[in-house]
Amino acid sequence: MSIKESYQIIKDQLPEGVQLVAVSKTHPVSAIQEVYELGQQVFGENKVQELMEKYPLLPQDIQWHLIGHLQTNKVKYVAPFIDTIQSVDSEKLLSEINKESGKHSRKIKVLLQVKIAAEETKFGLEISEAKQLFQQYINGYFPNIEITGLMGMATFTDNEEQVRKEFLTLKKLFDELNQLKPLKTLSMGMSDDFPVAIECGANSVRVGSAIFGRRDYSK
Ligand SMILES: *Cc1c(COP(=O)(O)O)cnc(C)c1O
């Protein structure tokens, strides 16, 4: 199937109001350009170095989302242009983004990444930590950023009930924080589980392989 067909199939499955972040990691700029020309403006990458190589070669009105684990010493590279950092998993990182965002007189959007998966390997804040950070944000600790929502990844499993349970945990936290200060974005769901994520309340999904095809990490 062509990228164009795959993209259309995904778009057709998204209810109105659900944002698509096209995850282009490992795929060449030519493929990103192709999807951009179909009307897609929001793309996600998970590595700073890869993003820095692609960014100058592509249209400047692309909204780049960083979705992978970010080291504090790399924030400065993306701060001038990044639209949203979805993978904020520590206070240290949030402080650094706040600092760099201020230097560029920007207000970088961030999502708090919350650990909802049972797996050990996944990055993310504990629910209690996310609440604490959000409270600090409300109290004015991070004036140069905007926390626009939450991001989470479910366990990689065929067990749909488990995936659903994890997504609903994040939705519950989202609703709770949203009472304290309105949030916009609940980012959950990838190629294999985005329909479940949407059923559980996601309004932003991060879809890579279902658009661009399988990733080849050997290159
Ligand atoms: C790679 C990645 C995705 C997209 O995964 P697919 O299964 O290819 O859709 C989504 N979110 C994060 C955080 C990722 O690293």
Side-chain angles (χ1 to χ4, degrees), residues 23 25 46 67 151 153 190-192 206-210 215:
V23 176
K25 64 191 189 200
N46 71 332
I67 60 170
M151 187 269 257
M153 285 167 94
M190 312 179 12
S191 292
D192 289 335
R206 310 175 308 273
V207 178
S209 38
R215 286 181 288 276

Side-chain angles (χ1 to χ4, degrees), residues 21-27 44-46 66-69 86-87 113 122 151-153 156 187-194 205-215 217:
V21 178
V23 176
S24 50
K25 64 191 189 200
T26 76
H27 297 287
E45 289 280 339
N46 71 332
L66 199 62
I67 60 170
H69 182 66
Q86 294 209 3
S87 41
Q113 181 176 357
K122 298 269 159 82
M151 187 269 257
M153 285 167 94
F156 186 66
S187 169
M188 29 185 219
M190 312 179 12
S191 292
D192 289 335
D193 58 14
F194 76 86
V205 295
R206 310 175 308 273
V207 178
S209 38
I211 297 171
F212 292 99
R214 283 182 55 194
R215 286 181 288 276
Y217 286 103

Side-chain angles (χ1 to χ4, degrees), residues 19 86 111 148-151 174 183-187 203-204:
Q19 177 190 53
Q86 294 209 3
L111 305 184
T148 53
L150 303 178
M151 187 269 257
F174 181 84
L183 292 171
K184 297 188 187 108
T185 306
L186 180 55
S187 169
N203 61 13
S204 184

Side-chain angles (χ1 to χ4, degrees), residues 12 24 30-31 33 50 52 67 72 79-80 98 105 152 164 217:
D12 289 345
S24 50
S30 57
Q33 183 73 37
E50 187 175 341
M52 296 309 291
I67 60 170
T72 41
N98 180 63
S105 306
R164 189 178 299 274
Y217 286 103

Side-chain angles (χ1 to χ4, degrees), residues 30-100:
S30 57
I32 301 173
Q33 183 73 37
E34 191 180 340
V35 174
Y36 172 83
E37 280 164 18
L38 298 172
Q40 180 68 25
Q41 252 189 317
V42 185
F43 289 86
E45 289 280 339
N46 71 332
K47 294 211 168 80
V48 170
Q49 190 184 336
E50 187 175 341
L51 175 56
M52 296 309 291
E53 285 166 12
K54 290 172 170 176
Y55 161 73
L57 305 174
L58 284 157
Q60 293 304 296
D61 62 350
I62 285 182
Q63 293 165 30
W64 289 105
H65 286 217
L66 199 62
I67 60 170
H69 182 66
L70 175 59
Q71 290 172 301
T72 41
N73 63 0
K74 294 198 174 150
V75 173
K76 57 178 178 288
Y77 301 120
V78 298
F81 69 90
I82 200 80
D83 180 81
T84 303
I85 299 175
Q86 294 209 3
S87 41
V88 173
D89 57 2
S90 72
E91 182 183 346
K92 191 170 151 223
L93 181 57
L94 198 57
S95 297
E96 181 67 14
I97 297 169
N98 180 63
K99 192 181 92 192
E100 290 295 327

